[in-house]
Amino acid sequence: MTITLLWFAAISVQAAPYPTKDTVDSLLHCIDTAIGQTDKYVQKKTDRIDYLHTKLGKAETLSAKYELSYQLYTEYLPFVNDSAIFYLEQCTDIARQLNDPSKTGGCLSLMALCCSNAGIYLESVSILKTIDPSQLNGIDLGLYYYAYSHVSNELAYYGKFANMRKQYADASTRYFTLAQQHLPSNHKYNYMSHEIMLHKHNNIKQALSINNQWLQQVQPGSTEYAIVAYYRCLDYKAMGDSIQMMYWLAESVLSDVKNAVMDQGSVWEMANQLMSRGDVDRSYRYICFTSDCADRFGSRQRLSHISPLLSRIAQVYKAKEERSNRSLRYTITAISILSLLLLIALAYVHRKRNQLAVTRDHLAQSNNQLQDTNAQLSSLNNQLSSLNSQLTTLNSQLSEANRVKDEYVGRFLRLCSIYIDRLEDIRKKVIKRVKNKQYAELVELTRSAEFSNKESNELYANFDTAFLQLFPTFVADFNALLKPESRIAQSDDNTLNTPIRIFALIRLGISDSSKIAEFLHYSVNTIYNYRANIKNGAIGDRAEFEDKVKTIGIPESNLK
């Protein structure tokens, strides 16, 4: 029944609609969420390992100890390489005590495979040379040949001399063929060797056919499913189908993360693909995540893959920083020009006010001299009085705008100076570490989220302080527009929480949800929901709520 369920699960994957870019984007969001919950998955893995440790401590027979040690090896295999090798050594010792040379050789073959997977090729070859293949049979002999084929294939790929690479490649092909003859047809190493051989001969369609068979044997979401999905991604990559490639690569990454797999070729490949597509921030997060996993797993091979990509990301961030500096200079220039225009406007208004005063004096004199035109002058005076009221309102609004401008421009220029100094300090640290080849410290420096969080908190603190200085009664006036049960309580009188900060921006004239979301680092939907929820608790017509917020702090005489 279990096999039937697995078969139907695999068929459902095959029969699923062709994935789209939206499907891939959705999977990437799932991966982001899963990476954020890594500790939970690692704890689940650790709990299983602790349970097996407890059972091993209580085991009495050699056979039971062998089975439990082998289970611990399979749990540690994608988790911590040194621990996997340790329990294989225990399995080897127990197999010797059981006088089973075939099982002993099989365990040693798996140990050699662990070494070659981690880039420890010399030790892998040394272990294989201690094995007498004539004493092996069945799957143990197949594992021996597969381990030899794997290390030969790795040496052929990473070797420096062309003639030696060819010798290793020929040996790898020969051992792959022998491994296929002795491994069970449904064994994962049999499927792997088939796909590798078919890729070497550029027979991608046949490789995909083998992958279809393999996919039917695994449970979706399992550790082996991640391996199948990764090989499937390589098949579609060779076929030039980028959507299918990214879909299966994302499936592999998601399964690896949820199974607490630390030997993650798929995450590295995903970071590489995202980097080539211009998604630098997500690529950086993924490569930092897989770097941490590689450190825990103990793989020199993965770290050698990660270093060049980190260098590329550092170069992109450097170029991005230069563009930001240019943009900052343009912004400062634009603000200076706007400030100059505002001063000109204020001078113009002042001149108009003086002219209006002179005109009023002339009208008063004319009123004394022309009593017979009193009715006409009275009408004209009423019109001028109305104009004067409008000008007074405009002057009040301009004064308030000038006050807001002075406060925020001063703070903005001060923050710009601080950020430029900090960016210069980071640039010097990066150059120093690159010159000293301190790549580990460079990675630690660039992946820390503490910097961006600190800067964001500082920006919000400056905004809150400036706003409350400008509108000290804003929170109380804002709550007065809401029903008692909908009013928002502040834990600190000197800071604003998110809902009040959103409407503080609206009070300053920033009503566009996308601009508010960009400033507060939220999604547009989140800002929209905040605004909608607050307006639902408004006293009176909710459609007029934001207009009332915009008038907070303006004297009632100026609103008439």
Side-chain angles (χ1 to χ4, degrees), residues 54 84 132 151 159 172 175 178 203 244-245 254-255 270 334 342 362 425 451 490 529 540 542 553:
T54 302
D132 182 3
V151 70
S172 174
Y175 284 122
L178 291 170
N203 191 348
Q244 287 273 27
M245 177 199 73
L254 190 58
S255 297
M270 178 62 80
L342 184 58
H362 289 164
D425 181 57
F451 177 79
Q490 284 282 100
N529 290 336
R542 69 188 301 274

Side-chain angles (χ1 to χ4, degrees), residues 187-204:
H187 197 282
K188 67 176 181 179
Y189 291 147
N190 198 340
Y191 286 119
M192 287 182 187
S193 59
H194 267 94
E195 288 222 41
I196 292 171
M197 290 289 292
L198 290 168
H199 271 270
K200 283 186 176 181
H201 293 88
N202 203 28
N203 191 348
I204 308 303

